[in-house]
Amino acid sequence: MNDRVSDDSTKDRILDAAESIFAEKGFKGSSVRAITEKAGVNIAAVNYHFSSKTGLLEAICDRRLIPLNKLRSERIKGILSEAEKSKTTPRTKEVLRAFIEPTMKLKETEPGAKDFIAFIGRAFNDPDGTARDVFLKFMKPMAELLYRALSAALPDMPKELLFWRLQFAMGAFGHTMQGDMTGALKAFGIEADTKVSPLEMLLDFMTAGMESTYK
Amino acid sequence: MNDRVSDDSTKDRILDAAESIFAEKGFKGSSVRAITEKAGVNIAAVNYHFSSKTGLLEAICDRRLIPLNKLRSERIKGILSEAEKSKTTPRTKEVLRAFIEPTMKLKETEPGAKDFIAFIGRAFNDPDGTARDVFLKFMKPMAELLYRALSAALPDMPKELLFWRLQFAMGAFGHTMQGDMTGALKAFGIEADTKVSPLEMLLDFMTAGMESTYK
DNA sequence: GTATATTTAAAACACATGTTTGAATTATTG
DNA sequence: CAATAATTCAAACATGTGTTTTAAATATAC
C-alpha cells in the first residue's frame, strides 16, 4: 500500500505529460494515447492509476491547485486579519496581488507548472464542461474568499457592481495566463523591453478597474 | 446557379443550429451529427454545402463577424476622423465603446446572435486551434484598427504597455461575452437589480484600466 | 525463496467522429 | 414534357476515441 516506490515514476510521468498536452490542446483535444506516448507508458496506465481521463484531470488539479490555493488563501487571510487588527481597510491591490502573485511565481520557479497555468487560464472559458466543472470545483472556496476580501477593501461598492468587476478582472487574468503573448506582440510590431513585468501591469490595470469611479 | 430557392433553407438551418451548438459545446465538442439533427437535415448536407466542418465555421463567421466588424470599423474610423478634424485626442472610453457596443446591441436585437457572441467569447481562448485560427483571421484587421485608435487616445503611453492593457481589456471582454453570469451571481448570494448595464460597467472598468496611472 | 499483491503490456472492445459514396429525389431549364 | 442540373438521402468508410480485458512481469511480504 506504500505508494512511493515504482508507483510515482509512472504516475508522475503521466501527470507531467498530461499537464503539457492539456495546456496545448485542452481537455477534450488531448487523447490519452497522445499523453501516454509522451509519457512513455502503456495506454492502460491512465485508467489503472487514475481510473479515467477525468480522474487524471482531477489529479493534475490536486497536485498544483491545492498548494497554490493554500498559498493564496494564507496571504489573503493575512491581509484580512491585518486590516482587522489595525482597524483599517485592506488595499485592493494587495488583495489582488495575494491572489495573482503566487500564480506568476509558480510559473517562474517550477518549470512544469507553466503548462498548468496556461491550462487553467483556458479551462476558465473552456467550452468543454468536464474541464470547467473540475476546475470550478477546486476554485469555489478560493473565489468566495477573494470576493470577501475585495468586499472588505471596497466596502461602499454595491455588491452587484463588485461582482461584475471581479468577473472582468478574472477574465483579464485568465486570458493573460493562457499562452504567451510574444507572437501577438510581434504582429503589432512592438518590441518587448519588459521594463515593467506583466504582473505589475496586470495589477495596475485590475486595481484601477476595480476602484474605478469613471464617469 | 441562383442560390435563393431551396438552398438557403437548408444552409440557414445548418448555420442557425451550428451557431447554437458551437456556443454551447465549442467547435471540437460539437459533432456534425448533433448539428444536422438539430437542423433537421441530412448529415451529408454539411459537407455538401460547406465542404467541411471548418468551412461551416467560416461561414458562420462570415455571416455575423463581417457585418459586426463593419459596424465597429465605421464607428472607430468616425471617431478618428472627428478627432483629427477638431485637432483633439479621441476619448479612450468612446473608442472602447465603438468596439464593444455593437456586440452588445447585436446580442439584444437579433436573438440567434446571442449564441454567436458567446461562441466568439470562447473562441478567443479556445484550446482548439481550428476555431481560434479562423476567429483570429477574421479579427486581425479589426484588432489593428482598435490598437491604432487607442494609440491615438493615449499617445504618451509606451506601446508595450498599451499592448498589454489591450490584452487585459480583451480578456475581460471575452470572458464577459461567454455565457451568462446569473448562475455565478446567485452562487455569491447577490440579487441582480441591474440598475447599471453590464456594458457600462465593463466600459468603466476597461477605461479605468487602460488609463490607469495607479502607483 | 516462495507466495502474494501490485504494476505493466498488447490487444481488443464498443462507440463516436468527419467525410464520402452512389442512388433517389427534387428543381430548373430549354 | 423531357433533359439536365442541383439537392437530399441512407449507408458505409476509415479513423480516432476512452476504456476493458487477460496475461505477463515486477515488486513486496512472510
Side-chain angles (χ1 to χ4, degrees):
Chain A
M1 266 294 164
N2 186 338
D3 50 27
R4 197 121 290 261
V5 190
S6 82
D7 198 22
D8 309 67
S9 180
T10 302
K11 271 177 103 164
D12 285 344
R13 291 165 70 87
I14 293 175
L15 286 171
D16 290 339
E19 199 167 58
S20 125
I21 294 186
F22 281 163
E24 195 184 349
K25 306 269 189 187
F27 180 70
K28 193 144 206 157
S30 308
S31 71
V32 327
R33 276 170 183 81
I35 292 168
T36 49
E37 267 169 39
K38 173 154 191 165
V41 303
N42 187 271
I43 187 186
V46 162
N47 291 275
Y48 177 76
H49 287 287
F50 305 100
S51 78
S52 72
K53 190 185 171 188
T54 305
L56 170 57
L57 175 61
E58 280 169 348
I60 287 179
C61 288
D62 266 334
R63 186 172 67 155
R64 302 272 193 207
L65 220 43
I66 286 180
L68 180 60
N69 280 346
K70 191 156 171 263
L71 265 177
R72 288 164 161 168
S73 295
E74 281 166 1
R75 282 187 59 170
I76 293 179
K77 281 174 183 162
I79 291 172
L80 282 177
S81 65
E82 185 91 10
E84 201 173 356
K85 208 187 301 172
S86 61
K87 295 204 187 306
T88 59
T89 271
R91 299 193 61 186
T92 306
K93 194 175 191 176
E94 291 318 304
V95 173
L96 293 172
R97 185 186 297 278
F99 183 77
I100 291 171
E101 205 167 54
T103 316
M104 299 291 202
K105 283 272 157 59
L106 185 68
K107 197 173 174 176
E108 285 158 20
T109 55
E110 216 161 322
K114 208 184 89 191
D115 294 325
F116 177 72
I117 303 301
F119 175 56
I120 58 172
R122 283 180 165 174
F124 196 33
N125 280 23
D126 200 317
D128 183 74
T130 316
R132 217 173 49 252
D133 291 351
V134 169
F135 172 70
L136 290 178
K137 189 185 75 186
F138 276 87
M139 286 305 290
K140 207 186 163 210
M142 190 64 248
E144 283 164 355
L145 178 62
L146 177 61
Y147 175 75
R148 197 146 49 81
L150 286 172
S151 285
L154 302 161
D156 297 331
M157 187 173 290
K159 293 310 167 204
E160 191 186 359
L161 181 58
L162 180 69
F163 168 84
W164 277 101
R165 289 188 174 179
L166 181 53
Q167 293 298 322
F168 303 151
M170 288 301 101
F173 179 48
H175 180 58
T176 310
M177 290 300 91
Q178 72 80 292
D180 67 332
M181 298 293 169
T182 47
L185 250 168
K186 205 152 52 182
F188 277 74
I190 301 168
E191 47 184 319
D193 46 3
T194 53
K195 268 177 295 200
V196 185
S197 73
L199 168 64
E200 294 305 325
M201 292 193 274
L202 177 61
L203 281 175
D204 282 349
F205 183 92
M206 280 179 162
T207 308
M210 292 298 304
E211 294 182 339
S212 166
T213 55
Y214 200 95
K215 291 257 138 48
Chain B
M1 263 299 164
N2 185 337
D3 50 27
R4 196 123 290 263
V5 190
S6 82
D7 198 23
D8 308 68
S9 178
T10 301
K11 272 175 102 164
D12 286 345
R13 290 164 71 87
I14 292 175
L15 286 171
D16 290 339
E19 200 166 58
S20 125
I21 294 186
F22 281 163
E24 195 184 348
K25 306 268 189 185
F27 180 70
K28 193 141 209 160
S30 307
S31 71
V32 328
R33 276 171 183 82
I35 292 168
T36 49
E37 266 167 41
K38 174 153 191 166
V41 303
N42 187 272
I43 187 186
V46 162
N47 291 274
Y48 179 76
H49 286 286
F50 305 100
S51 77
S52 72
K53 190 185 173 188
T54 304
L56 170 58
L57 175 61
E58 280 169 348
I60 286 179
C61 288
D62 267 335
R63 186 172 70 155
R64 302 272 192 209
L65 218 44
I66 286 180
L68 180 60
N69 280 346
K70 192 156 170 264
L71 265 178
R72 289 165 161 169
S73 296
E74 280 165 3
R75 281 187 61 170
I76 294 179
K77 282 174 183 163
I79 291 172
L80 283 177
S81 63
E82 185 90 13
E84 201 175 354
K85 207 187 300 173
S86 62
K87 296 203 185 306
T88 60
T89 271
R91 298 192 61 184
T92 306
K93 194 175 193 176
E94 292 317 305
V95 173
L96 292 172
R97 185 187 296 278
F99 183 78
I100 291 171
E101 205 168 53
T103 316
M104 299 291 202
K105 284 273 158 58
L106 185 68
K107 197 172 173 175
E108 284 158 20
T109 54
E110 215 162 322
K114 209 182 88 189
D115 292 324
F116 177 72
I117 303 301
F119 175 56
I120 59 172
R122 282 180 166 174
F124 196 33
N125 280 23
D126 200 316
D128 182 74
T130 316
R132 216 172 53 250
D133 291 350
V134 169
F135 171 70
L136 290 177
K137 190 185 75 184
F138 276 87
M139 286 305 290
K140 208 189 161 209
M142 190 64 247
E144 283 163 355
L145 177 62
L146 177 61
Y147 175 75
R148 197 146 50 81
L150 287 172
S151 285
L154 302 162
D156 298 330
M157 186 174 290
K159 294 310 167 202
E160 192 186 358
L161 181 58
L162 180 67
F163 168 83
W164 277 100
R165 289 189 175 178
L166 180 53
Q167 294 298 324
F168 303 151
M170 289 301 101
F173 179 48
H175 180 58
T176 310
M177 290 300 91
Q178 73 81 288
D180 66 332
M181 299 292 169
T182 47
L185 252 167
K186 205 152 51 181
F188 277 75
I190 301 168
E191 49 185 317
D193 45 5
T194 53
K195 268 177 293 198
V196 186
S197 73
L199 168 64
E200 295 304 325
M201 291 193 274
L202 177 61
L203 281 175
D204 282 348
F205 183 91
M206 280 180 164
T207 308
M210 291 299 303
E211 294 182 338
S212 165
T213 55
Y214 199 96
K215 293 260 136 51

